[in-house]
Amino acid sequence: MNREEFKVLVMLYAANIDGNINPDEVDAILEKVDSNTFKNVKKMFAKMSDIEILNSINENKRSFASTDTEREILINDCRTIINADGQQTVMEGFIVKMLEKVLN
């Protein structure tokens, strides 16, 4: 996994927390990464369970989100993805807080 793939994995996890990745969320992710990386990671993401995704995030965070600045940018990107559809559920807000804890 490289930095861009890690970023997509985290953003997809945030986007999918309500069980649905909508077109606005996809567009918001694609503003931040290239489409090939997105497609490749989305295929991998579809095969993974929540625990596998969280384990992958935890295992790779030191390599790809090692500084406070990198983590803050990634968390802000997740907020952007979650708010892309104009609605933020309580669960989505909770997941951003949980991702902050996982990434730190």
Side-chain angles (χ1 to χ4, degrees):
M1 177 172 289
N2 65 37
R3 185 175 306 279
E4 288 301 301
E5 291 168 337
F6 176 76
K7 184 177 180 176
V8 173
L9 181 68
V10 173
M11 290 189 292
L12 280 172
Y13 185 72
N16 190 56
I17 202 57
D18 59 0
N20 180 35
I21 301 173
N22 70 46
D24 292 329
E25 292 166 332
V26 170
D27 290 345
I29 294 170
L30 288 172
E31 288 178 11
K32 304 193 179 294
V33 298
D34 68 90
S35 62
N36 286 334
T37 301
F38 175 78
K39 288 175 190 174
N40 291 336
V41 175
K42 191 164 189 246
K43 286 178 190 175
M44 178 180 66
F45 181 87
K47 296 176 184 175
M48 297 171 77
S49 67
D50 279 356
I51 194 69
E52 289 171 322
I53 294 165
L54 289 172
N55 283 339
S56 183
I57 291 169
N58 195 42
E59 291 167 3
N60 289 289
K61 69 184 180 184
R62 299 272 183 253
S63 298
F64 304 123
S66 59
T67 68
D68 289 342
T69 301
E70 289 171 330
R71 288 187 295 273
E72 187 62 31
I73 289 169
L74 187 54
I75 293 298
N76 286 335
D77 286 346
C78 288
R79 286 187 184 109
T80 299
I81 302 310
I82 287 172
N83 292 319
D85 61 1
Q87 306 171 23
Q88 180 177 338
T89 66
V90 173
M91 181 60 85
E92 288 171 330
F94 174 77
I95 289 303
V96 169
K97 290 189 184 302
M98 191 223 21
L99 281 171
E100 288 173 344
K101 288 181 181 184
V102 169
L103 290 170
N104 285 314

